[in-house]
Amino acid sequence: MTIRFARARGGILADSGGTARRRLGAIVGVLCAVLVVGPWTGGPCAGASRRPNFVVILADDLGFSDLGCYGGEIDTPNLDRLAAGGLRFTQFYNTGRCWPTRSSLLTGYYAQQIRMDPPGGRLPSWARVLPHRLRALGYRSYHTGKWHLLGAPKPVADGGFDRSYWFEDWDRYFTPSNHFEEDQQLAPVPPDRGYYATTAFADHAIACLKEHAEAYPDRPFFQYLAFIAPHFPLHALPEDIAKYRDRYLEGWDTIRHRRWTRLRESGIADWPLPPLETRLSPRYFRPELLDVLGPGEIRYAAPWDGLSAEQKRFQATKMAIHAAMVDRMDREIGRVVEQLKAMGAFENTIVFFLSDNGADATLLVRGDGHDREAPPGSARSFLCLGPGWAAASNAPFRRHKIWVHEGGISTPLVVHWPKGIAARGELRRTVGHVIDLVPTILELAGGTAETPAGAPPLPGKSLVPALARDGTVRRDFLYFHHEGNRALRMGDWKLVSAREDDDVWELFDLRVDRSEMRNLAGEHPDQVRAMEAKWKALDAEFRRHAGVP
């Protein structure tokens, strides 16, 4: 069925006689220019033959091993195909939290350098968002989904994007009331309109690509597709949940071990699986929450065999919803890939897929609250993954989102570019960080990483050499700091501390121990002192960059 999109402020357009699933396209009529949905047959984009296009896809709270190509049991065939036809990075890092990662990804700076962690107003006058840099190289830029670059509040006016669907209502996958098109607020989506955020995001991204192919075929593009899935609340379509309903009754201990086994077999992980941290509480936990959620919820990552039957069913259902959210995101990515193929841009489009932080152990209720009588995963429910399943999703690492142990900051990174990457299905053990995407994209686009007067140099490294051969990118350090959690990686040494551990520094040799199980601080005190001094010097330097006293 052909669905026509019309730009409309303040209302939702519906097609006549369609199912809820097909009405998703009409809903995004609020967001898109007048277009006819269907394969574009105008031939290859001329601009794509000269400079590559870029599609950066960012998941929200996805665990390191949630994808099939990173050891998971969730069905992700589209991302698995991209990985099989491209590269998987095994030591790529984010910042451990939503907004600092987006700040770093889009500006090329550590969040602390630009007043984004903790958030502190506007970006410094010298900071540039990536689309500003790409515009000078002839690119058009499109944004879809979560924004969260707090120092540049509006994606078009402040971020330099040409088109944007900006979704800020993270508590409502089905009925958002806080969403924007081209920086202008849209009307709330009423219930029972068939809207689901993940699909709506893909619809908007596809519409932007169609418009680009028709109106700007001689220009390259940058598409930033920032899903909110699988961030809490656990909201998914009923048919997607049904697919996974009983899959997780065997529990997080078994799933976690099985993922670790597959990661070892694939060559991604060659270190022991750390034990569950059974007394590590979610940071924002309030005891009264258990009265709201009922007896199925638990505060800690307890051994699965010790749970009651009611707890096992409740917890397995939560993971089934999480899996359904990831599964649906993969399907929608598949639709975006098909559009790239239809417009002749796929071969010369570089696709990056990654996550903004590790899976989240948080337990809370906000938004419209939680109705214990509502079907789990529906709009009237508000569930979070919790510490047990977060530990499984982040396998084979320790800890979760917010912490800067490996489980909080390690992300899968899939890079796919048929025209430019000869390798197929190879691993890259090159160490990387989200600050590297700006210099990488700029080099591939034919630009430079030059900075304006008064700006510090970009701290990231171009990953272009690693696209051809592993081990070709050298760096002195990577720095981490979030909510009192601190870390520094220098070579294979990692110095790390957490607020829950009384801020005591631990030292790990990541070459053999990315599980962070054997603390070597007592054996190498000089290394600890040197790295601590370096971390403190960097922290002070970054605060000066940001103008923070």
Side-chain angles (χ1 to χ4, degrees):
M1 177 176 62
T2 297
I3 303 175
R4 295 186 180 275
F5 290 82
R7 186 183 297 277
R9 303 285 186 189
I12 300 295
L13 306 180
D15 62 287
S16 58
T19 65
R21 173 65 180 81
R22 295 304 301 162
R23 284 199 301 269
L24 291 166
I27 288 162
V28 186
V30 181
L31 316 174
C32 303
V34 177
L35 294 171
V36 176
V37 177
W40 183 72
T41 58
C45 293
S49 65
R50 295 191 294 272
R51 295 190 181 189
N53 308 299
F54 302 100
V55 175
V56 175
I57 305 173
L58 188 66
D60 199 337
D61 293 5
L62 181 83
F64 183 81
S65 58
D66 274 335
L67 303 182
C69 54
Y70 278 83
E73 69 295 322
I74 302 172
D75 292 337
T76 55
N78 294 292
L79 285 166
D80 295 350
R81 278 192 290 271
L82 291 176
L87 304 172
R88 284 171 293 165
F89 282 69
T90 67
Q91 298 192 81
F92 202 79
Y93 290 106
N94 48 51
T95 71
R97 195 66 176 274
C98 311
W99 67 87
T101 288
R102 285 163 174 76
S103 301
S104 296
L105 186 154
L106 288 169
T107 68
Y109 287 100
Y110 288 108
Q112 289 75 11
Q113 293 178 283
I114 52 174
R115 296 197 289 263
M116 293 300 104
D117 193 22
R122 306 274 310 186
L123 290 172
S125 60
W126 45 259
R128 299 288 183 271
V129 185
L130 182 57
H132 292 140
R133 296 175 179 269
L134 290 175
R135 181 175 293 167
L137 300 173
Y139 281 76
R140 283 183 60 84
S141 296
Y142 309 105
H143 159 260
T144 304
K146 192 169 183 176
W147 180 236
H148 224 179
L149 178 52
L150 303 178
K154 297 179 179 180
V156 174
D158 302 313
F161 284 90
D162 295 287
R163 296 284 308 279
S164 169
Y165 175 46
W166 164 25
F167 187 98
E168 199 168 310
D169 207 345
W170 313 315
D171 293 333
R172 299 176 182 89
Y173 279 76
F174 299 105
T175 56
S177 59
N178 201 19
H179 59 152
F180 306 78
E181 179 195 8
E182 272 68 275
D183 299 345
Q184 301 299 311
Q185 187 157 10
L186 299 170
V189 177
D192 304 320
R193 287 297 182 93
Y195 182 101
Y196 184 62
T198 303
T199 300
F201 291 4
D203 286 341
H204 179 262
I206 290 168
C208 288
L209 293 172
K210 286 176 178 290
E211 179 186 64
H212 185 92
E214 292 180 352
Y216 307 98
D218 294 326
R219 295 179 63 180
F221 60 82
F222 167 54
Q223 172 74 60
Y224 174 47
L225 175 53
F227 289 104
I228 57 168
H231 190 288
F232 64 79
L234 298 176
H235 281 171
L237 300 172
E239 61 269 29
D240 294 344
I241 299 172
K243 177 178 177 180
Y244 294 94
R245 173 177 167 76
D246 297 327
R247 185 172 296 190
Y248 294 102
L249 285 170
E250 57 190 344
W252 47 61
D253 295 318
T254 298
I255 294 294
R256 189 166 171 263
H257 189 273
R258 192 176 293 144
R259 289 187 177 193
W260 170 67
T261 300
R262 284 194 290 263
L263 286 165
R264 293 190 72 181
E265 291 171 348
S266 67
I268 294 176
D270 57 357
W271 53 87
L273 182 68
L276 280 177
E277 295 186 87
T278 58
R279 303 306 296 174
L280 181 68
S281 176
R283 181 162 284 188
Y284 313 122
F285 180 81
R286 296 177 180 273
E288 57 267 25
L289 177 72
L290 298 180
D291 296 329
V292 176
L293 296 175
E297 191 56 274
I298 57 174
R299 177 176 181 176
Y300 299 106
W304 187 261
D305 288 345
L307 272 57
S308 69
E310 183 176 13
Q311 288 171 331
K312 289 179 178 179
R313 169 48 74 182
F314 184 86
Q315 297 296 327
T317 298
K318 290 202 305 177
M319 186 60 190
I321 304 168
H322 175 88
M325 296 168 79
V326 176
D327 184 309
R328 175 58 56 179
M329 177 176 63
D330 180 81
R331 295 191 208 185
E332 303 304 345
I333 290 170
R335 293 176 54 222
V336 173
V337 168
E338 288 305 308
Q339 171 57 31
L340 293 171
K341 292 178 179 178
M343 60 194 280
F346 182 68
E347 292 294 313
N348 200 31
T349 295
I350 308 170
V351 178
F352 299 89
F353 175 88
L354 68 162
S355 179
D356 65 347
N357 45 249
D360 193 359
T362 297
L363 292 171
L364 54 75
V365 171
R366 64 186 192 193
D368 298 320
H370 177 67
D371 181 354
R372 288 168 61 174
E373 301 303 316
S378 67
R380 292 186 296 115
S381 69
F382 198 107
L383 300 172
C384 299
L385 190 60
W389 286 119
S393 288
N394 292 330
F397 303 124
R398 284 179 59 202
R399 304 227 168 154
H400 322 287
K401 171 183 175 179
I402 299 172
W403 284 275
V404 295
H405 288 72
E406 293 292 284
I409 58 176
S410 297
T411 174
L413 174 65
V414 174
V415 184
H416 184 274
W417 182 21
K419 185 175 180 179
I421 299 176
R424 298 291 182 266
E426 291 187 4
L427 300 178
R428 290 291 183 265
R429 293 177 174 80
T430 296
V431 176
H433 188 283
V434 287
I435 57 172
D436 298 335
L437 289 186
V438 165
T440 301
I441 289 173
L442 288 177
E443 180 176 344
L444 291 168
T448 66
E450 293 180 359
T451 54
L458 290 173
K461 303 289 185 181
S462 171
L463 299 174
V464 171
L467 302 184
R469 187 164 58 88
D470 203 8
T472 50
V473 178
R474 305 297 180 188
R475 64 191 338 126
D476 295 329
F477 62 84
L478 285 173
Y479 157 96
F480 303 90
H481 189 193
H482 185 66
E483 284 200 1
N485 300 322
R486 306 171 295 168
L488 185 73
R489 176 164 179 167
M490 298 180 70
D492 289 320
W493 287 113
K494 182 179 177 183
L495 191 71
V496 62
S497 72
R499 203 169 74 189
E500 285 77 10
D501 301 330
D502 300 321
D503 297 320
V504 174
W505 288 113
E506 295 182 299
L507 181 69
F508 300 103
D509 180 357
L510 299 187
R511 182 178 55 85
V512 294
D513 183 23
R514 284 192 72 194
S515 308
E516 297 172 310
M517 292 171 58
R518 186 184 174 199
N519 178 15
L520 301 175
E523 299 176 35
H524 299 278
D526 291 344
Q527 185 71 32
V528 171
R529 282 191 290 270
M531 293 182 70
E532 179 183 21
K534 178 66 173 178
W535 187 93
K536 289 181 176 178
L538 288 168
D539 199 56
E541 176 187 351
F542 294 163
R543 291 169 66 89
R544 286 195 301 272
H545 290 165
V548 177

